Amino acid sequence: MNRTCSSIRRVLNSSQYDSYTLTSNVLIRRQVHGGVMDPLRLRPSRYPAELSEKLLTAIRRRKPIKVWEAYEEISKNGKLKKLSAEHHAMALRSFQLKNLKAYGPSEIKFYRGCLMYILETMKEQNCKLDVRDYNFLLDFYGRSRDWDSVVKCWEELTQEIQPNEYSYNLYLYATLHCKKYQETIKIFNMMKDSDVKPNGFTYDILIEVQGRLGHSRDADEIFQTYFAPKPQKKASFISSLFHSIQKSTIKYLSFTSLASPLASIFSPPNAADSKVIPAQFKPTVNTFVALINAHGRKRNLPGLSYIYNTMLPTYNIKPDIKIYNALIEWYCRSENVELARKMFVDMGKYDIRPNVTTFQHFFLLEANKRRRPKAAEDLMNFMKTQYGIQPLFSMYRTLIGVHNKSKREEEARRLYREYMSLKSKPIAGSTK
């Protein structure tokens, strides 16, 4: 499964920690591990290569199942004590949830079991966690929607070491996954009161929160305040333009011409124009994904078209899989199949390969909204044969439910047999 949240990858693999270099002398003195993520940078001068070679190979190849098998093998041989703190930490961070929609309850339970086993081992070996370990755990607990564990992890983090900007951002990000929006502002104010200052990613999260609360105008205001240059004359937001469209009896094919006043807000500052104040932060793909989500929830389809056709080119942002998935999701939820298919075609034009999330949006449209299980199953077969993407277990459960409601018992049994056959494949060894 490909990583779909590049912003979180940036958080967990921040360059400020990549500068650590381990030598044998440092390894001997260090009580807290250095946060090394690259297995090739671990020197075998103190720890036998044959002991950890299988483990490091699995870590380097980013194969969580293989990581656990190697770690469990070392445990069964009673040699975990011979591993360094760096080995334990790298094994721990191998069990990252990349895209929650791609994991079922059993997989999340398995990953959590692996984490708990490794954390307990680190505790027994007196291997103290560093800020990157805590950041990883904040991300994991948040993505698995375990708010109690998020809060406990934060409390332990602040007692042991100083949180950094990535810690605060991941704490904020957890409020999205756990739907604890009332906590977002509290954490944001706590961040502002600390020595750690908000960055662009922080405001991306705030835009997303405002969108989930249905406050698209507030999301626009955050974008205008922190990501847009400041012209002398204040122009209206996307939302106000959307309301004017609703009142009009004229049908516009494009939102761009009607939304032309936004160009003065969302265009990059002209260095030669002394009347324009440059933006505080440069918007990224994640910024626009949050903005797309805010207007998608309001079913502001003209606004989505304007973001895609005008704002992205204006800010020199090339649409990637995250932007296309966000647009396809809201077009499908709005049952605008034509625009959703257009986004899929555009992905092909720019050689952007779809992932399971892309197909899931189309699948849910056919299965749930249109009640066309045959079309939904054809889509599952298409993603398998054309792209080699295995359908999610949830897709099978959805189709089985649709067939049962329509009393198509034979179809439901057929899909159930296929579902159980796939589900019975072992995930990995037990975590004991």
Side-chain angles (χ1 to χ4, degrees):
M1 290 173 283
N2 293 325
R3 188 184 303 268
T4 63
C5 195
S6 62
S7 59
I8 296 299
R9 182 171 65 243
R10 185 179 70 243
V11 169
L12 296 179
N13 296 299
S14 56
S15 59
Q16 75 179 80
Y17 295 105
D18 290 341
S19 60
Y20 284 114
T21 303
L22 293 174
T23 64
S24 58
N25 290 333
V26 174
L27 283 170
I28 293 172
R29 297 196 308 267
R30 192 182 299 274
Q31 296 299 317
V32 181
H33 72 85
V36 174
M37 285 299 292
D38 185 358
L40 296 177
R41 294 170 66 180
L42 280 180
R43 300 186 179 184
S45 57
R46 187 181 177 195
Y47 304 97
E50 63 275 7
L51 174 67
S52 58
E53 181 178 1
K54 185 176 179 180
L55 177 64
L56 294 179
T57 299
I59 293 171
R60 185 168 60 249
R61 294 178 178 175
R62 300 184 183 276
K63 300 290 186 181
I65 306 303
K66 295 297 182 182
V67 170
W68 174 249
E69 290 175 353
Y71 195 87
E72 190 178 37
E73 182 180 340
I74 297 173
S75 176
K76 288 179 178 178
N77 293 331
K79 297 183 178 180
L80 284 178
K81 292 182 179 180
K82 296 185 178 181
L83 292 180
S84 70
E86 285 79 9
H87 287 93
H88 292 294
M90 286 190 297
L92 179 76
R93 296 187 210 133
S94 297
F95 299 96
Q96 184 179 2
L97 295 177
K98 302 171 185 177
N99 175 20
L100 190 57
K101 294 179 181 179
Y103 295 86
S106 60
E107 291 172 294
I108 294 177
K109 182 179 180 181
F110 167 72
Y111 273 41
R112 188 183 182 93
C114 296
L115 290 181
M116 294 302 102
Y117 188 92
I118 297 174
L119 283 173
E120 185 64 28
T121 301
M122 294 178 73
K123 182 178 179 180
E124 292 176 356
Q125 303 298 326
N126 197 28
C127 299
K128 294 184 179 180
L129 305 184
D130 72 1
V131 70
R132 296 188 71 188
D133 297 322
Y134 283 113
N135 287 350
F136 164 76
L137 292 172
L138 286 171
D139 180 51
F140 181 90
Y141 293 139
R143 286 177 180 268
S144 57
R145 300 191 179 104
D146 184 353
W147 179 248
D148 290 338
S149 293
V150 170
V151 174
K152 291 178 182 178
C153 181
W154 179 261
E155 292 174 351
E156 183 177 338
L157 164 62
T158 52
Q159 290 174 2
E160 295 291 334
I161 51 180
Q162 178 68 31
N164 57 24
E165 62 184 276
Y166 308 107
S167 309
Y168 279 101
N169 283 337
L170 284 167
Y171 197 15
L172 284 169
Y173 204 75
T175 65
L176 296 180
H177 293 295
C178 300
K179 298 182 180 180
K180 298 290 184 178
Y181 307 128
Q182 71 278 8
E183 300 294 328
T184 306
I185 298 302
K186 295 179 183 178
I187 298 170
F188 177 68
N189 289 332
M190 181 172 60
M191 184 180 188
K192 290 198 300 182
D193 293 339
S194 70
D195 295 332
V196 179
K197 300 306 175 186
N199 57 15
F201 184 63
T202 309
Y203 293 105
D204 292 347
I205 297 173
L206 295 183
I207 291 175
E208 181 68 31
V209 169
Q210 293 296 347
R212 294 193 182 193
L213 292 173
H215 305 157
S216 59
R217 293 195 182 197
D218 291 334
D220 290 340
E221 186 172 354
I222 294 173
F223 185 96
Q224 182 186 3
T225 302
Y226 296 100
F227 296 102
K230 309 300 184 295
Q232 279 191 330
K233 184 177 287 188
K234 189 175 181 180
S236 57
F237 297 137
I238 296 177
S239 300
S240 59
L241 291 170
F242 174 52
H243 293 307
S244 68
I245 292 174
Q246 288 181 315
K247 295 176 182 178
S248 174
T249 58
I250 302 175
K251 292 185 179 180
Y252 292 91
L253 296 178
S254 172
F255 190 58
T256 306
S257 59
L258 189 64
S260 57
L262 287 178
S264 61
I265 295 182
F266 295 134
S267 59
N270 186 347
D273 189 353
S274 59
K275 297 180 181 181
V276 174
I277 303 174
Q280 185 172 349
F281 300 106
K282 182 179 179 180
T284 65
V285 164
N286 299 306
T287 310
F288 283 106
V289 167
L291 201 60
I292 288 169
N293 289 337
H295 289 278
R297 286 184 170 86
K298 303 294 286 188
R299 301 303 188 263
N300 181 3
L301 302 191
L304 296 184
S305 296
Y306 182 76
I307 292 171
Y308 179 68
N309 293 316
T310 302
M311 291 179 66
L312 293 178
T314 298
Y315 280 90
N316 296 318
I317 299 293
K318 292 183 178 180
D320 66 356
I321 184 63
K322 292 201 297 182
I323 285 180
Y324 280 115
N325 280 350
L327 289 168
I328 289 173
E329 176 182 6
W330 296 114
Y331 287 143
C332 285
R333 288 196 181 192
S334 302
E335 298 188 62
N336 194 319
V337 183
E338 185 176 340
L339 285 175
R341 287 175 177 170
K342 181 183 182 302
M343 294 299 99
F344 191 84
V345 171
D346 285 356
M347 290 174 64
K349 289 180 181 178
Y350 299 114
D351 294 326
I352 298 175
R353 181 180 175 84
N355 58 21
V356 69
T357 304
T358 313
F359 289 106
Q360 186 182 35
H361 299 318
F362 286 104
F363 171 86
L364 292 175
L365 171 64
E366 296 293 346
N368 291 339
K369 287 188 174 290
R370 293 181 147 193
R371 310 300 291 181
R372 300 202 307 171
K374 180 62 170 62
E377 188 174 352
D378 289 342
L379 189 63
M380 291 169 59
N381 294 328
F382 175 77
M383 58 190 281
K384 280 193 296 185
T385 57
Q386 296 297 318
Y387 293 93
I389 300 174
Q390 179 64 43
L392 302 175
F393 289 153
S394 61
M395 292 180 174
Y396 286 97
R397 292 194 294 267
T398 298
L399 285 184
I400 291 169
V402 171
H403 285 306
N404 280 331
K405 286 182 180 179
S406 301
K407 300 188 183 302
R408 291 187 289 267
E409 297 180 0
E410 186 59 35
E411 290 295 309
R413 282 195 292 267
R414 176 181 60 83
L415 286 169
Y416 182 76
R417 287 193 295 268
E418 186 175 345
Y419 166 72
M420 291 305 296
S421 175
L422 291 172
K423 194 175 181 181
S424 63
K425 294 180 179 179
I427 295 178
S430 64
T431 58
K432 294 187 178 181

